[in-house]
């Protein structure tokens, strides 16, 4: 099964829902995207692939007049999102279960001002999703998404290198959106205009790194199932020891992209790359 198959995604993230709140880097990554997205009051914002709602809540906290809709296909991630949202007494968010590839079939809000997607677009057919999202945007509405640079995070690259030694080849899921050029291509192919692309880094805490094996084991359970018990234990041992010895695994290169609906855009200016 591949990361683009809905059953795979739903299963993998239902499984991860209870521990996802401990993922410090996902929170930082989502909150930085929200900063870059520059959300304004009295707007309607969709958080596509909202997961446990980290970006959705960061937006909702900015101003009570912002209406936020979080969309995800993992019911358990959404249960967590709802629970935390009630806990924080935020009343300007609703969560919807559905496939974020086709927001036009899932949401009832018309004229969306902004769609954010943190750490989610890699699971979707990218151009198809971006084209569909542009159809629900208001004139001049924007899309802000994040992506790991190709070969990042380093822990994932290490996992792929070590599994390759056992004969299991795993593609880099970051590659399709892993450079400014690749992001630009998808954005333009979907008929959108690039506003800005930021190249930055996110940092991983010791807790994040401590859960890296478990995260990869869950994500690639089908591939790892071909290994014998001993081969799998040896792979885990190598992964954990190389991860603890490798310099630079505590940060990853990432991209934050902002695109805009071309409709009603009068001034064609070039993109800002930061
Ligand atoms: C790595 S998590 C990111 C969650 C959240 N945006 C964050 O920043 O923490 C990816 C999320 O995308 C969701 N997802 C993947 N494919 C999806 C799809 N086609 N439709 C809706 N949600 C999807 C998963 O269920 C998961 O919750």
């Amino acid at each position: 099964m591949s990361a683009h198959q809905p059953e795979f995604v739903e299963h993998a993230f239902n499984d991860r829902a209870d521990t996802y709140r401990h993922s410090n880097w996902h929170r930082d990554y989502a909150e930085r995207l929200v900063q870059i997205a520059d959300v304004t009051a009295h707007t309607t914002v969709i958080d596509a692939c909202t997961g446990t709602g980290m970006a959705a809540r960061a937006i909702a906290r900015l101003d009570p007049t912002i209406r936020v809709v979080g969309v995800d296909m993992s019911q358990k991630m959404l249960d967590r999102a709802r629970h935390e949202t009630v806990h924080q007494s935020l009343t300007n968010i609703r969560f919807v279960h559905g496939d974020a590839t086709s927001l036009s079939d899932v949401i009832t809000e018309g004229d969306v001002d902004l769609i954010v997607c943190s750490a989610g677009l890699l699971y979707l057919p990218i151009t198809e999703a971006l084209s569909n999202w542009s159809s629900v945007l208001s004139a001049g509405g924007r899309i802000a998404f994040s992506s790991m640079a190709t070969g990042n995070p380093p822990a994932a690259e290490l996992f792929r290198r070590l599994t390759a030694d056992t004969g299991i080849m795993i593609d880099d899921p970051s590659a399709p959106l892993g450079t400014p050029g690749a992001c630009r291509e998808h954005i333009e192919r979907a008929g959108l205009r690039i506003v800005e692309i930021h190249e930055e880094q996110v940092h991983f805490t010791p807790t994040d790194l401590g859960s890296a094996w478990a995260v990869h084991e869950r994500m690639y359970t089908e591939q790892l199932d071909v290994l014998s018990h001993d081969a799998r234990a040896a792979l885990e041992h190598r992964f954990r020891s190389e991860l603890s010895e490798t310099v630079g695994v505590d940060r990853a290169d990432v991209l934050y992209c902002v695109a805009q609906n071309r409709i009603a855009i009068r001034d064609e200016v070039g993109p800002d790359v930061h």
Side-chain angles (χ1 to χ4, degrees), residues 227-242:
L227 295 177
S228 68
H229 178 269
D230 286 353
R232 190 175 176 136
L235 176 63
E236 177 178 352
H237 178 75
R238 250 188 102 190
F239 178 80
R240 288 187 186 280
S241 69
E242 289 203 27

Side-chain angles (χ1 to χ4, degrees), residues 3-273:
H4 285 162
Q5 285 181 267
E7 321 85 76
F8 167 82
V9 168
E10 189 153 16
H11 178 76
F13 283 97
N14 276 344
D15 229 31
R16 238 173 119 178
D18 286 342
T19 53
Y20 197 85
R21 70 184 181 285
H22 302 303
S23 185
N24 301 301
W25 76 270
H26 270 117
R27 180 169 296 101
D28 292 348
Y29 194 31
E31 292 183 355
R32 177 65 183 137
L33 179 68
V34 169
Q35 268 180 357
I36 286 172
D38 197 18
V39 193
T40 50
H42 302 283
T43 51
T44 300
V45 183
I46 309 296
D47 180 17
C49 301
T50 190
T52 58
M54 289 172 173
R57 279 190 301 280
I59 294 166
R61 282 193 295 265
L62 292 172
D63 193 291
T65 66
I66 301 170
R67 290 170 304 281
V68 190
V69 183
V71 177
D72 203 281
M73 61 165 36
S74 159
Q75 197 62 67
K76 288 202 172 163
M77 293 290 269
L78 288 178
D79 289 346
R80 283 275 158 198
R82 289 191 182 101
H83 179 84
E84 193 50 39
T85 301
V86 169
H87 182 70
Q88 293 188 18
S89 307
L90 292 165
T91 54
N92 51 338
I93 313 182
R94 70 182 191 98
F95 291 102
V96 180
H97 183 238
D99 188 342
T101 308
S102 184
L103 286 179
S104 55
D105 297 331
V106 176
I107 56 162
T108 47
E109 286 74 6
D111 278 0
V112 171
D113 301 290
L114 173 68
I115 298 167
V116 297
C117 184
S118 178
L121 206 42
L122 73 162
Y123 300 104
L124 311 183
I126 301 164
T127 307
E128 183 186 334
L130 290 174
S131 306
N132 180 275
W133 297 357
S134 77
S135 75
V136 301
L137 283 179
S138 59
R142 290 172 305 126
I143 295 173
F145 65 86
S146 59
S147 168
M148 284 280 156
T150 301
N152 283 268
E157 183 74 349
L158 172 66
F159 179 81
R160 285 189 294 276
R161 179 166 62 73
L162 299 183
T163 51
D165 288 349
T166 70
I168 300 169
M169 306 311 291
I170 294 173
D171 289 339
D172 178 358
S174 304
L177 285 172
T179 61
C183 293
R184 185 172 298 127
E185 214 178 298
H186 281 289
I187 289 168
E188 286 174 353
R189 217 184 292 152
L192 295 152
R193 179 186 85 96
I194 302 153
V195 177
E196 54 186 3
I197 300 177
H198 294 246
E199 296 182 83
E200 299 188 8
Q201 288 196 319
V202 288
H203 291 83
F204 298 87
T205 65
T207 307
D208 295 328
L209 293 174
S211 62
W213 171 260
V215 167
H216 286 94
E217 194 178 35
R218 245 185 241 127
M219 213 56 179
Y220 297 105
T221 181
E222 201 169 274
Q223 289 90 333
L224 295 183
D225 273 352
V226 303
L227 295 177
S228 68
H229 178 269
D230 286 353
R232 190 175 176 136
L235 176 63
E236 177 178 352
H237 178 75
R238 250 188 102 190
F239 178 80
R240 288 187 186 280
S241 69
E242 289 203 27
L243 191 69
S244 66
E245 286 160 10
T246 309
V247 174
V249 288
D250 60 342
R251 67 196 84 105
D253 296 328
V254 300
L255 300 155
Y256 299 100
C257 302
V258 182
Q260 190 173 35
N261 206 349
R262 277 192 182 275
I263 301 168
I265 293 170
R266 288 171 190 91
D267 314 331
E268 283 293 317
V269 288
D272 290 342
V273 177

